Amino acid sequence: MFTKTMFTKTYATVMDWQRTLLYRDGVLERTLEPGRHRYDEKRCKLVTVDMRPRMLQVVGQELLTSDGLSLRVSFAADWAVTDPVAFTVAAQSAEVVLYGAVQEVARDLVAAHTLDELVGDRVLLGSGTATVAAAVERLGIRVDAVRAKDLMLPGELRKAALETVLARERGRAELERARAEAAALRSLANTAKLLTDNPVLLRLRTLQVAASPGAKVVLDSRENV
């Protein structure tokens, strides 16, 4: 008795931003490019990989600076898949490996600088792109940028930083007030000298004030006119 086995043919559409791996009987047969493809649904399995750029976020973690102070930093990595086969088979989860690589680089970057340096120049935390890229290159991943997103100081350090800023601003306000008072005193001194040297000018100023509505002028009878 002869039995004829019928194969089930199914169509799959691969979008322009995707690559699809076609496995036949558990073995990778080929990579499907964008378009419509026919395959044997009973014997084949498809694994689709998104090739579009992505962003990985590493949530804030407590890290120690070179001067032993704690700093909470969150990072972001811009990346994309370049080799769908390596991305699928080189690790159980390529994204988890990438996440760990960013964590390690973040720890090294923070440990290499003091707290004041990191707070004053966040660019120092953006120099780990090449290191992360090298760590995940075998996974078919391209890393375009690794950067720090947020820097959060512990409560006590935030309070100390705020007090420092307030003290600095108070000092500036006091300095400006002192400058204004000094300028006013100089103006009064110059006016007094001018009136002393020019009695006629003093009398003209007195008449000008007396002519103002509601002004009251008290004349000293002992003044020699």
Side-chain angles (χ1 to χ4, degrees), residues 17 21 23-24 43-44 74 96 120 128 148 161 172 198-199:
W17 62 85
L21 308 182
Y23 288 85
R24 182 182 297 274
R43 298 184 57 188
C44 297
S74 63
V96 171
R172 289 179 180 175
N198 299 274

Side-chain angles (χ1 to χ4, degrees), residues 81-217:
V81 177
T82 57
D83 184 344
V85 176
F87 181 75
T88 303
V89 305
Q92 183 177 17
S93 176
E95 290 190 52
V96 171
V97 177
L98 174 61
Y99 190 98
V102 175
Q103 278 188 315
E104 291 183 8
V105 168
R107 182 172 61 249
D108 293 341
L109 288 175
V110 172
H113 301 282
T114 66
L115 179 64
D116 288 341
E117 290 173 342
L118 294 175
V119 173
D121 187 6
R122 290 179 55 177
V123 176
L124 296 173
L125 295 174
S127 59
T129 301
T131 304
V132 175
V136 298
E137 184 178 8
R138 63 183 179 83
L139 304 179
I141 292 176
R142 183 190 73 242
V143 178
D144 297 318
V146 175
R147 62 190 183 280
K149 292 188 63 180
D150 299 305
L151 275 70
M152 295 156 281
L153 300 176
E156 294 183 358
L157 290 179
R158 285 200 305 270
K159 183 178 179 181
L162 178 60
E163 290 176 352
T164 300
V165 172
L166 291 176
R168 183 168 59 247
E169 293 303 319
R170 282 195 294 265
R172 289 179 180 175
E174 292 293 338
L175 179 60
E176 290 300 322
R177 188 158 40 247
R179 288 175 176 171
E181 291 177 354
L185 289 175
R186 283 195 300 270
S187 178
L188 288 174
N190 292 335
T191 301
K193 186 177 184 304
L194 180 63
L195 295 178
T196 300
D197 295 341
N198 299 274
V200 176
L201 184 60
L202 174 60
R203 292 174 183 174
L204 290 174
R205 178 57 179 161
T206 302
L207 293 174
Q208 184 181 24
V209 173
S212 301
K216 181 183 292 185
V217 179

Side-chain angles (χ1 to χ4, degrees), residues 4-21:
K4 184 178 180 180
T5 304
M6 299 298 295
F7 294 98
T8 304
K9 295 295 183 181
T10 306
Y11 288 91
T13 300
V14 180
M15 304 301 291
D16 188 54
W17 62 85
Q18 297 173 331
R19 298 296 182 272
T20 297
L21 308 182

Side-chain angles (χ1 to χ4, degrees), residues 37-48:
H37 303 270
R38 190 175 68 171
Y39 69 100
D40 185 351
E41 186 179 19
K42 288 186 176 181
R43 298 184 57 188
C44 297
K45 181 180 179 180
L46 304 181
V47 177
T48 299

